[in-house]
Amino acid sequence: MTAHTFIKNARVLTMDDEGGEHPRANILIRGSEIESIGPDVAPDGRELAREIDATGMLVMPGITNAHFHSTLNMLKGVRAIPLSVLILSAYEMVAARAGETMDPGLVRHVISVTTSLGAIEMLKCGVTSVHDDAHHFLNPLSAAVPANVQAYADSGLRATIALAQTNVVEYDKYPFLKDSLPPDIRKEMEQTADTTSDDEILDNYRSYIDQWHDTADGRIHAAVSISSPERVTTELLCAAYALSQERGVVFEAHCQEAKYQRILAEQRHKKSWIAYMDELGVLSSRVHLNHVVWTDARDIEILARTGTTVSHNVHCNLFIGSGLMPLRQMREAGVPVGIGVDEMDASGTINPWEVAKMAMFAQHLSDPDWERWLGAGDMLWCLTRGGALGMSRADEVGRLAPGCQADLIMIDLNTLAFAPLNDLPTQLVMGDQGRSVVMTMVAGRVVMENGVVTTVDEEAVKRAVRELAEVLPQGADTSRLYPYARRMQLRAEETDVGFDRSLHAHYNLN
């Protein structure tokens, strides 16, 4: 017999199409699904696994972290640098350790602990779903991948996890770089480039999807990622997209995050990456693009027409100086937008509520007409419905309705953030930011209650993290490539692309 859970006397924010809110309502959950919601809903003699009195509480859909890199969860307290410099520094660290291998058992332990660390923080602030672009490995089917996926499955989170592979020589991922490099560095980049064939990469994707998609009772979904369109050949871009559509999984990429990426697209294709992908026919409602800061009005029209979803990661974009995504213009055009943390090192936390607050405030400086500013209700939509659309799970999560998955959170309204309670959406986004979440439920299962994650031993994870921080290799010397990265970055900043990334730039998008 399927167990029932009964939540009674809650204030309920459904986030459904009608923006439904009940001052007082009950929710009956059958197994993992919501069976009914309303003031008169009752168990009607059903045997209950649990009855929860939510008097003085708000129940609403769980939050989606719409873009994330879990493998970087331990990188706290790093210095801010531009994206191009950051990625070249990462390349130099990988190149410096070329040939080094880690014991598979240690790899599994590191990735399991790292993933669990992030899962704990997300569950505590009411995140029930995460869109994780986690896997960027030369051997994507190594011990790291199952450790990451299994940690998510064990945590109770709902996760869409992408496998990303690239196949372009490092210097071809940037404008202005190749000709400025000395011959020895160019040769090294050519020798260290991934030589995996397209057929092998596609086979890796297939194996990953076969093994992990729709596992953990449907909570875990696989996704295909190319990392970013400039990091793969056109042939792999098209083939990976075709495979994702054939297998019915999300296809995702970072896109036009930084100005240098926009410049490279114009140099290579005489158009933006978004326009180029549209020309290739690789945009659709099952495509999820991350950041999309350097978009113009034509790009926004393409995204809206194709139904492509995007993630807004304003903490990261401000941290690395990439600029502001035109959020209001995206939403007015009908582009589905989710809110993403991106990386621990860029955000300092794994709390999408805080990112949403920053996104709401930042657009106040990018648009002089305050009557057009998006409000807290819009941010709540992005945190819930927008994120669900980006995971291609809008029929299951992101709202509370009969037939949807019971992914919900309970928030204590008897806290300082709500004293007095004048406007619920505004106080959720501006004041509380997830601090008053007292229960997180995924698929009908309570996975966090009263600050305690019930699926993961938090103290054991923190001990393991501290131990690993003492023994894992530290960053390599990145001074060799830094002058070339700096020169490239500054040249990109001086290049005219027809619009500006500064705060006044978006006036012209209308």
Side-chain angles (χ1 to χ4, degrees):
M1 179 181 293
T2 302
H4 284 75
T5 300
F6 185 58
I7 301 174
K8 64 181 183 180
N9 301 322
R11 181 171 179 169
V12 178
L13 184 63
T14 66
M15 295 304 299
D16 61 14
D17 291 336
E18 290 73 39
E21 184 176 347
H22 301 282
R24 189 197 68 79
N26 305 326
I27 305 173
L28 184 62
I29 299 165
R30 182 178 185 272
S32 68
E33 289 188 1
I34 296 172
E35 184 172 299
S36 53
I37 303 175
D40 300 321
V41 167
D44 293 333
R46 295 177 177 87
E47 183 178 346
L48 297 178
R50 183 173 181 186
E51 180 174 297
I52 300 170
D53 188 352
T55 301
M57 305 288 178
L58 171 74
V59 173
M60 64 172 286
I63 302 304
T64 293
N65 182 0
H67 179 51
F68 191 50
H69 296 291
S70 61
T71 50
L72 302 174
N73 284 345
M74 291 178 65
L75 293 183
K76 301 177 181 181
V78 301
R79 175 192 172 199
I81 53 177
L83 181 67
S84 61
V85 181
L86 175 68
I87 297 177
L88 273 175
S89 297
Y91 162 79
E92 185 144 34
M93 285 187 280
V94 172
R97 296 199 177 97
E100 291 184 13
T101 59
M102 289 179 65
D103 175 75
L106 178 59
V107 170
R108 284 191 292 271
H109 177 61
V110 169
I111 296 300
S112 178
V113 167
T114 301
T115 306
S116 298
L117 179 67
I120 291 168
E121 186 169 350
M122 286 188 278
L123 290 171
K124 285 190 171 188
C125 68
V127 172
T128 54
S129 297
V130 58
H131 201 146
D132 191 0
D133 193 12
H135 307 317
H136 296 266
F137 305 113
L138 294 180
N139 178 8
L141 304 181
S142 69
V145 176
N148 173 260
V149 179
Q150 191 61 54
Y152 272 130
D154 293 342
S155 76
L157 274 165
R158 192 176 304 277
T160 294
I161 311 168
L163 174 66
Q165 289 196 273
T166 64
N167 67 343
V168 173
V169 176
E170 194 68 23
Y171 55 61
D172 279 338
K173 301 174 184 176
Y174 312 87
F176 316 128
L177 180 63
K178 180 179 178 180
D179 292 339
S180 72
L181 293 172
D184 62 320
I185 295 181
R186 288 203 304 270
K187 184 177 181 180
E188 175 197 289
M189 288 183 172
E190 291 160 2
Q191 291 174 337
T192 57
D194 188 3
T195 58
T196 308
S197 70
D198 286 4
D199 286 343
E200 289 177 282
I201 290 173
L202 294 170
D203 283 343
N204 285 338
Y205 286 140
R206 291 187 187 97
S207 296
Y208 177 63
I209 295 167
D210 289 343
Q211 185 169 1
W212 295 109
H213 183 60
D214 207 26
T215 57
D217 297 321
R219 285 188 294 107
I220 301 297
H221 277 193
V224 169
S225 169
I226 54 161
S227 184
S228 189
E230 75 273 8
R231 297 169 192 162
V232 295
T233 62
T234 297
E235 292 76 17
L236 181 56
L237 168 62
C238 294
Y241 172 78
L243 176 63
S244 71
Q245 302 309 290
E246 172 193 326
R247 294 300 185 94
V249 301
V250 171
F251 177 82
E252 71 170 279
H254 300 73
C255 192
Q256 297 174 188
E257 177 178 1
K259 187 177 182 181
Y260 81 86
Q261 294 167 321
R262 176 84 187 207
I263 293 168
L264 185 62
E266 298 285 352
Q267 288 179 347
R268 193 170 292 172
H269 304 295
K270 309 301 181 186
K271 54 177 66 71
S272 71
W273 285 116
I274 289 172
Y276 183 62
M277 293 174 75
D278 184 44
E279 182 180 279
L280 294 173
V282 296
L283 294 178
S284 69
S285 61
R286 203 177 286 277
V287 173
H288 186 64
L289 300 182
N290 300 305
H291 300 285
V292 290
V293 171
W294 284 86
T295 53
D296 58 19
R298 183 187 178 203
D299 292 331
I300 294 172
E301 181 277 323
I302 291 170
L303 294 171
R305 170 171 49 80
T306 58
T308 301
T309 65
V310 305
S311 69
H312 186 27
N313 308 273
V314 66
H315 272 188
C316 177
N317 299 144
L318 293 176
F319 184 73
I320 62 178
S322 290
L324 286 179
M325 185 187 87
L327 175 61
R328 188 264 298 169
Q329 292 86 344
M330 292 270 195
R331 291 300 303 128
E332 285 187 351
V335 179
V337 180
I339 300 294
V341 168
D342 197 340
E343 301 175 5
M344 165 60 80
D345 55 331
S347 189
T349 181
I350 312 176
N351 186 343
W353 292 97
E354 295 183 0
V355 183
K357 178 179 179 177
M358 178 66 77
M360 185 170 73
F361 286 176
Q363 45 117 26
H364 294 175
L365 295 179
S366 64
D367 196 326
D369 187 352
W370 62 92
E371 291 188 355
R372 303 177 75 179
W373 290 347
L374 300 181
D378 299 291
M379 296 300 108
L380 285 178
W381 189 94
C382 293
L383 283 165
T384 54
R385 301 290 295 277
L389 283 163
M391 295 175 70
S392 289
R393 305 196 76 156
D395 291 339
E396 303 171 87
V397 298
R399 58 195 174 98
L400 302 183
C404 288
Q405 288 289 296
D407 289 15
L408 54 83
I409 58 178
M410 192 161 72
I411 296 173
D412 184 0
L413 296 178
N414 187 32
T415 59
L416 289 174
F418 304 104
L421 179 48
N422 297 315
D423 183 87
L424 181 61
T426 300
Q427 288 170 254
L428 282 169
V429 174
M430 285 183 55
D432 188 65
Q433 299 178 281
R435 294 183 184 90
S436 299
V437 175
V438 294
M439 188 187 77
T440 302
M441 176 184 286
V442 182
R445 177 190 183 193
V446 175
V447 289
M448 190 285 294
E449 191 165 18
N450 296 322
V452 177
V453 175
T454 63
T455 55
V456 181
D457 185 337
E458 179 177 350
E459 293 305 315
V461 169
K462 288 189 293 189
R463 283 196 302 272
V465 164
R466 295 185 185 108
E467 292 168 359
L468 288 173
E470 296 293 327
V471 300
L472 288 177
Q474 301 301 307
D477 179 12
T478 59
S479 61
R480 183 185 56 149
L481 276 179
Y482 183 81
Y484 307 103
R486 175 175 167 79
R487 191 177 307 138
M488 172 191 63
Q489 175 67 26
L490 293 178
R491 185 173 174 185
E493 293 297 338
E494 295 167 357
T495 301
D496 182 13
V497 296
F499 59 99
D500 196 349
R501 74 172 175 90
S502 55
L503 293 178
H504 62 76
H506 308 306
Y507 292 171
N508 298 325
L509 288 174
N510 294 321

